[in-house]
Amino acid sequence: MKTLIHLLLVPFFSVILFSCSGSHFLKEEGYRNQVLQDFEQKQKALPDGELFSIFSDSTLTLSEREALMFLYAYMPIGDITDYHGKYYLANIRLSEQARHEMPWGKTVTDELFRHFVLPVRVNNENLDESRKVFYGELKERVKGLSMKDAILEVNHWCHEKVVYRPSDARTSSPLASVQTAYGRCGEESTFTVAALRSVGIPARQVYTPRWAHTDDNHAWVEAWADGKWYFLGACEPEPVLNLGWFNAPASRGMLMHTKVFGRYNGPEEIMLETPNYTEINVIDNYAPTAKAVVTVTDTDGRPVSGARVDFKVYNYAEFYTVATKYTDADGHASLTAGRGDMLVWASDKGAFGFSKLSFGKEDRLTLVLDKKEGEASTFDLEIVPPIEGANLPEVTPEQRKENDCRLALEDSIRNAYVSTMMTEEHARDTLSRFNLSDTDRETMAKMLVASRGNYHTLLVFLEMAAGQKREDYALALLRQLSAKDWRDVSILNLIECLMTAPDLEKMGVQAGAEIANLRVENEMLTPYRHYFLQAFPKKEAEAFVEEPSRLVEWCKKEIKIDNELNSQRIPISPIGVWRARVADEKSRDIFFVAMARSLGIPAKIDKVTGKAQYVDKEGRTFDVDFVANSQAQIPVGILRATYKPISSLPDPKYYSHFTLSKFKDGVFQLLNYEEGDADMGAGTTWTNLLKNGTSLDSGYYMLVTGTRMASGAVLSKVTFFTIEPEKTTTVDLVMRESEEQVQVIGNFNSESLYTPISGDSLSTAQSLLQTCGRGYFIVGVLGVGQEPTNHALRDIAALGSDFEKWGRKMVLLFPSEEQYNKFHAAEFQGLPSTITYGIDMDNSVQKQIAKSMNLSNQNMLPMFIIADTFNRVVFVSQGYTIGLGEQLMKTIHGL
């Protein structure tokens, strides 16, 4: 019956859309036909779960029906399974309300509104009710402004709510960011785009997948006003548009792009079209560019059609794919990019070929698919990023002063809210009534502080656990979550863990908590255990527990895999997978682990390999293979690496200096080892991973090493090798060094004056020579609260003990006393004791560094130099630089 209704539903929509009177949302007939076709295909792909029930709502207008059809046609699966259609209808009505009430509503074209105002989703965040909340707060604040001024005003409002702070890769929802009062750049930009769209301003999140001149990536916002796109730093208000601390780094970018919801036919270069989004290239807005054509051939010189071409930037010690194209009938694929170097990798049917491509120097490259899995080889690459050439809009002193005053006021508004959150002292007092050991009380106190505006949720959970005398179980559950989880986990999730707790007396608190662990990977946390405990007859559930391989077989049979319907790989909730019976591979793996844990089977996703695993009743761990017909344990071998330490690098770090990747289907996939606490310098290194050997699945691997130079260039070595079952493979880990010695690159007057800070007061002005004595020293000028400065200080803190051993002074200066008062050294644990803080009077040191080093922008912070008391400069860095601490130490070791 369900199938018959579904078959009747498709032509029903066609009749409605083309016979009803009323205003069309999709006014272009050709585009409307395409959306209808895509919508019908989506319905056919998701026949189960009554996922399209909203379309039976008789109150829908023609415009609303078409808007819903557009959204449903291109939503990833999880947005259909995990959120009811009434949610999207409410957002459609809110967006139309803003279009009607805002003065610029009539100037926004239908295409812009469709792609950059209507969609709720920005990236991979949890969806929430932010559009309604934000519109309520913003509409009176912006409705009397011009469109450009409204964009600036929305960003000031965003700064009142959220400020930058790094965190893990999962993206918080906009309302969760407000509750937390901070977020990483991806969360700030998601939040700001949501705020702009709430008042009817077209907005999109723009990002560089990876920088070319330094590690890391960045995301910001573009907003449309009066016929043109402008950019801005999310939650980082400037006096004018097209200005941010990232102007200079962006001018060195190789690629900037954005994902546009649905099929999009705008003026930008299309990078990729998927069933969910259109990826477009916007690099031309930020940097000088060049176009190159890649030709892929087989070993006989014949062009290969449909070959995959990955364009890769060196970043975090891997060659990271920033763009993927597929060759046409003539074997061609092209890309427009910044004028620097990329590694281009072509693959087809297991064969591959690669070469460096210098955009701006070469406009054509031919790649031959002449390499196969199993071939051992090594090669060197020197990668040169684009040069800097920032174009900065003019800002008057009056504009800057007014903006600074507004920032200070916004800081005070946000800080007033933050002051309502838990302090450690308050948390300890609050926890005194619970039956916790001193150690557990300290642990829980730190969780409450880290949970920010969500501390009430954790306290309610602990109260309920205490009522069942299960405080230790509650604490064990919370320990398994991340700090971000503490900040946005719902009480429903936690309550369910109490209601469905396993037999703790039989298996112990820790084992029980591991089975009840809420977090599988990076999915939205949702309650599902009670649901799954009722899903199977008792005998079938017992059979799964007895032989978990039966649950694997059930998933293989019942869950259809369709990766294309979830192009962004946004995890579908476990219940969403159950309802749709369709999922991408990663959501299927999360579903399997969630189902297994619900039934009492220990299961997880391995952090390094990404494989789903379960433990049988004998305690044996199995990798789950949903393709093979058996659940055999994968054969493994041992990998060792020799390393001859260089003076500046005794123990190379994973992600900073080397990475490992495993070959699959013509490309190499990164092994994700623990990064560790960047502030404390922990993580995976050569010593703890490869010196004595590590166990890996047998197969074909690639080792990449790289030495980042101060200029941003990289000296890289790539090694291909095979790990055989039950054998030890030894490779050389080589960090290439520059043959050039440290050189004098400028002059700086060591007699320059500044005002030292002693305790909380200012001292008498003195020279840098007086502070540092004879010899080399480091001077830095900081931009407090700015992302580039925060990165720089964390990099220095990570190597604090090395700077201590060097023993020379580091003078860190602030542009003003007001800026210093906003600085909190405690946020950067590990900074060396050799630091002296001070005020740069009249910005004289900053101006001298900029002038003597010919820096193109004397206002961009932070600035760092290594100089000596003979006024020689041997190192300079300005702006956003990842790995600054290592670059400083590398120079110091070469002195």
Side-chain angles (χ1 to χ4, degrees):
M1 186 66 180
K2 187 188 298 183
T3 303
L4 177 62
I5 292 173
H6 170 72
L7 291 174
L8 292 172
L9 198 59
V10 172
F12 172 72
F13 280 118
S14 300
V15 172
I16 287 180
L17 294 177
F18 292 99
S19 63
C20 286
S21 60
S23 175
H24 283 288
F25 175 76
L26 302 171
K27 294 182 172 58
E28 306 156 32
E29 185 176 346
Y31 192 85
R32 186 164 65 245
N33 288 334
Q34 181 65 66
V35 172
L36 177 60
Q37 179 181 328
D38 293 338
F39 175 73
E40 290 173 348
Q41 289 179 351
K42 182 69 73 66
Q43 280 188 301
K44 291 176 182 178
L46 300 171
D48 295 312
E50 300 181 355
L51 302 176
F52 299 86
S53 61
I54 185 63
F55 289 93
S56 63
D57 186 339
S58 61
T59 68
L60 293 176
T61 66
L62 176 62
S63 177
E64 290 171 346
R65 190 175 297 277
E66 288 185 357
L68 275 170
M69 186 177 72
F70 170 73
L71 291 177
Y72 271 75
Y74 305 113
M75 285 181 197
I77 303 174
D79 286 2
I80 297 178
T81 63
D82 297 342
Y83 305 90
H84 195 277
K86 292 179 180 178
Y87 169 79
Y88 298 108
L89 179 58
N91 275 279
I92 288 170
R93 290 171 175 169
L94 283 166
S95 64
E96 288 291 352
Q97 179 185 349
R99 193 179 197 183
H100 175 72
E101 294 180 354
M102 290 295 104
W104 46 78
K106 293 181 180 179
T107 70
V108 176
T109 66
D110 290 337
E111 182 182 52
L112 287 168
F113 182 84
R114 180 171 69 225
H115 294 287
F116 302 109
V117 176
L118 177 67
V120 184
R121 178 164 297 291
V122 178
N123 198 324
N124 60 356
E125 73 281 7
N126 297 345
L127 303 185
D128 61 20
E129 303 291 338
S130 60
R131 191 183 294 260
K132 180 179 181 180
V133 175
F134 293 175
Y135 186 64
E137 287 206 30
L138 283 167
K139 61 180 180 180
E140 295 301 325
R141 188 160 169 168
V142 301
K143 67 187 309 180
L145 301 175
S146 70
M147 207 168 182
K148 288 168 67 174
D149 285 342
I151 294 168
L152 294 170
E153 187 63 30
V154 169
N155 206 21
H156 276 289
W157 176 85
C158 290
H159 182 243
E160 288 179 12
K161 306 293 185 182
V162 175
V163 71
Y164 174 78
R165 185 164 175 176
S167 62
D168 64 44
R170 182 171 68 82
T171 303
S172 295
S173 72
L175 286 177
S177 293
V178 171
Q179 180 173 255
T180 300
Y182 63 61
R184 57 178 173 78
C185 62
E187 290 163 332
E188 287 183 306
S189 51
T190 295
F191 163 55
T192 304
V193 168
L196 288 163
R197 289 180 180 178
S198 76
V199 292
I201 295 175
R204 60 197 188 192
Q205 181 188 56
V206 174
Y207 54 98
T208 177
R210 298 289 175 95
W211 294 117
H213 69 287
T214 188
D215 290 335
D216 211 357
N217 58 5
H218 190 53
W220 56 91
V221 173
E222 283 187 349
W224 184 91
D226 308 322
K228 185 178 178 181
W229 287 98
Y230 297 87
F231 68 83
L232 57 148
C235 306
E236 298 168 340
E238 293 284 356
V240 297
L241 296 172
N242 286 351
L243 179 62
W245 64 259
F246 53 89
N247 281 67
S251 73
R252 304 189 72 183
M254 291 293 291
L255 190 73
M256 317 292 180
H257 55 161
T258 186
K259 291 180 173 69
V260 184
F261 186 92
R263 291 184 184 269
Y264 174 68
N265 301 309
E268 302 90 348
E269 176 189 5
I270 292 178
M271 303 284 296
L272 182 66
E273 291 180 298
T274 79
N276 303 128
Y277 64 86
T278 304
E279 188 173 271
I280 58 174
N281 189 357
V282 294
I283 182 65
D284 285 319
N285 295 346
Y286 300 93
T289 62
K291 183 177 181 179
V293 177
V294 176
T295 302
V296 180
T297 72
D298 61 19
T299 53
D300 294 324
R302 294 173 299 204
V304 179
S305 172
R308 172 173 170 164
V309 181
D310 292 315
F311 296 85
K312 296 174 176 285
V313 167
Y314 180 91
N315 191 287
Y316 278 131
E318 68 165 320
F319 285 99
Y320 180 85
T321 298
V322 296
T324 297
K325 297 287 190 82
Y326 292 88
T327 55
D328 59 20
D330 297 319
H332 298 324
S334 64
L335 180 70
T336 300
R339 294 172 173 263
D341 295 346
M342 284 192 189
L343 178 66
V344 185
W345 188 285
S347 57
D348 185 62
K349 298 181 177 65
F352 61 94
F354 55 87
S355 180
K356 184 175 83 170
L357 173 61
S358 298
F359 284 85
K361 296 180 180 178
E362 306 166 80
D363 58 7
R364 293 192 173 276
L365 174 68
T366 298
L367 289 178
V368 181
L369 301 179
D370 58 355
K371 295 176 175 59
K372 299 284 187 180
E373 180 178 359
E375 297 176 357
S377 62
T378 183
F379 68 95
D380 293 341
L381 272 177
E382 181 174 356
I383 302 295
V384 179
I387 61 173
E388 184 181 313
N391 182 21
L392 300 174
E394 182 179 352
V395 176
T396 66
E398 292 77 18
Q399 286 176 311
R400 176 58 63 194
K401 183 177 180 180
E402 180 185 357
N403 198 71
D404 288 345
C405 288
R406 292 203 64 180
L407 293 179
L409 175 61
E410 289 150 16
D411 286 339
S412 68
I413 293 171
R414 186 180 60 258
N415 290 336
Y417 164 63
V418 172
S419 68
T420 66
M421 299 175 185
M422 277 279 185
T423 64
E424 286 200 23
E425 182 179 0
H426 184 199
R428 291 189 194 99
D429 290 343
T430 303
L431 294 170
S432 61
R433 68 179 185 272
F434 293 98
N435 183 27
L436 297 172
S437 67
D438 290 345
T439 301
D440 286 348
R441 186 174 294 108
E442 284 300 307
T443 299
M444 190 67 202
K446 292 183 184 303
M447 289 182 188
L448 290 174
V449 172
S451 66
R452 306 283 284 181
N454 199 39
Y455 70 88
H456 293 288
T457 297
L458 271 59
L459 277 177
V460 169
F461 175 54
L462 191 60
E463 290 271 11
M464 297 186 68
Q468 300 180 18
K469 299 188 183 305
R470 287 182 170 177
E471 295 97 320
D472 54 349
Y473 174 63
L475 195 59
L477 282 171
L478 291 174
R479 275 195 178 108
Q480 296 177 120
L481 301 181
S482 70
K484 184 172 290 183
D485 290 332
W486 301 333
R487 297 196 292 268
D488 62 12
V489 67
S490 75
I491 190 61
L492 289 178
N493 278 295
L494 297 173
I495 288 174
E496 188 186 52
C497 286
L498 284 178
M499 293 173 58
T500 59
D503 189 340
L504 301 180
E505 291 186 7
K506 180 179 179 181
M507 65 176 53
V509 169
Q510 187 57 42
E514 288 174 2
I515 283 182
N517 189 355
L518 288 165
R519 171 63 59 208
V520 179
E521 206 189 42
N522 65 335
E523 76 281 7
M524 174 176 66
L525 293 181
T526 55
Y528 55 77
R529 293 175 184 278
H530 182 75
Y531 187 94
F532 287 151
L533 285 172
Q534 311 300 317
F536 294 105
K538 184 178 180 181
K539 286 187 177 180
E540 190 173 5
E542 290 174 348
F544 288 151
V545 174
E546 189 68 28
E547 290 186 59
S549 60
R550 293 188 179 187
L551 181 58
V552 176
E553 293 303 315
W554 186 93
C555 290
K556 288 166 61 175
K557 178 182 176 182
E558 297 292 334
I559 307 301
K560 179 184 176 182
I561 298 302
D562 193 330
N563 289 321
E564 287 195 352
L565 284 182
N566 197 14
S567 308
Q568 290 166 269
R569 301 296 185 267
I570 300 168
I572 309 166
S573 75
I575 291 180
V577 174
W578 174 271
R579 291 179 63 200
R581 300 300 170 98
V582 178
D584 59 285
E585 291 174 340
K586 182 56 67 178
S587 296
R588 184 267 321 277
D589 292 354
I590 293 171
F591 168 80
F592 168 80
V593 172
M595 180 71 81
R597 289 178 179 175
S598 298
L599 297 174
I601 304 168
K604 67 176 183 178
I605 292 180
D606 184 83
K607 292 182 179 179
V608 175
T609 65
K611 295 178 181 179
Q613 297 177 327
Y614 68 82
V615 180
D616 68 6
K617 296 192 75 173
E618 283 71 45
R620 297 174 298 178
T621 298
F622 288 84
D623 289 335
V624 176
D625 190 335
F626 289 103
V627 178
N629 293 323
S630 64
Q631 299 303 307
Q633 290 177 301
I634 304 298
V636 299
I638 301 296
L639 174 65
R640 286 185 65 254
T642 64
Y643 174 64
K644 295 180 179 178
I646 58 179
S647 59
S648 60
L649 188 60
D651 192 13
K653 290 182 181 180
Y654 203 81
Y655 299 118
S656 295
H657 308 111
F658 74 97
T659 55
L660 290 165
S661 300
K662 190 175 187 295
F663 189 78
K664 182 181 180 181
D665 300 329
V667 296
F668 283 89
Q669 298 178 353
L670 183 71
L671 300 185
N672 294 297
Y673 286 99
E674 196 71 35
E675 185 175 3
D677 187 340
D679 289 348
M680 302 306 294
T684 304
T685 68
W686 165 73
T687 296
N688 60 36
L689 181 69
L690 296 176
K691 182 178 181 180
N692 298 314
T694 190
S695 177
L696 291 174
D697 291 349
S698 58
Y700 191 43
Y701 287 82
M702 176 175 66
L703 168 67
V704 175
T705 67
T707 301
R708 177 80 72 177
M709 314 305 293
S711 66
V714 176
L715 301 178
S716 178
K717 181 178 285 290
V718 180
T719 304
F720 300 100
F721 58 92
T722 298
I723 294 179
E724 299 182 42
E726 300 181 6
K727 292 185 179 180
T728 297
T729 300
T730 301
V731 296
D732 294 329
L733 192 157
V734 177
M735 298 301 304
R736 296 174 59 198
E737 293 186 273
S738 172
E739 296 179 357
E740 298 178 3
Q741 298 297 312
V742 174
Q743 297 179 358
V744 176
I745 57 176
N747 297 299
F748 176 80
N749 184 8
S750 61
E751 297 282 0
S752 297
L753 297 178
Y754 77 103
T755 304
I757 298 169
S758 178
D760 294 326
S761 61
L762 299 181
S763 302
T764 305
Q766 62 178 254
S767 70
L768 291 163
L769 176 60
Q770 286 176 281
T771 301
C772 302
R774 292 294 177 183
Y776 284 100
F777 56 88
I778 296 172
V779 175
V781 185
L782 309 181
V784 178
Q786 297 175 357
E787 185 174 347
T789 291
N790 291 345
H791 273 296
L793 292 175
R794 289 189 180 92
D795 285 343
I796 291 170
L799 295 177
S801 60
D802 293 326
F803 287 104
E804 296 268 6
K805 291 176 184 175
W806 182 45
R808 301 296 303 158
K809 283 288 187 180
M810 183 185 301
V811 180
L812 299 183
L813 301 177
F814 302 87
S816 66
E817 187 175 358
E818 181 184 15
Q819 287 282 299
Y820 170 72
N821 290 333
K822 295 180 180 180
F823 175 70
H824 302 288
E827 294 181 8
F828 309 98
Q829 292 295 320
L831 287 173
S833 62
T834 51
I835 291 176
T836 295
Y837 297 104
I839 307 300
D840 183 14
M841 299 179 298
D842 302 320
N843 303 122
S844 59
V845 172
Q846 179 178 336
K847 292 175 182 176
Q848 186 188 160
I849 293 174
K851 182 177 180 180
S852 64
M853 301 310 302
N854 294 316
L855 300 181
S856 59
N857 179 8
Q858 70 173 22
N859 295 316
M860 188 198 313
L861 300 177
M863 295 178 181
F864 284 89
I865 62 169
I866 299 177
D868 67 4
T869 45
F870 295 101
N871 298 336
R872 301 177 297 185
V873 178
V874 295
F875 173 89
V876 64
S877 171
Q878 182 182 30
Y880 190 75
T881 301
I882 298 297
L884 175 70
E886 291 182 0
Q887 292 184 22
L888 288 167
M889 287 308 305
K890 190 178 297 180
T891 303
I892 288 167
H893 284 298
L895 296 176

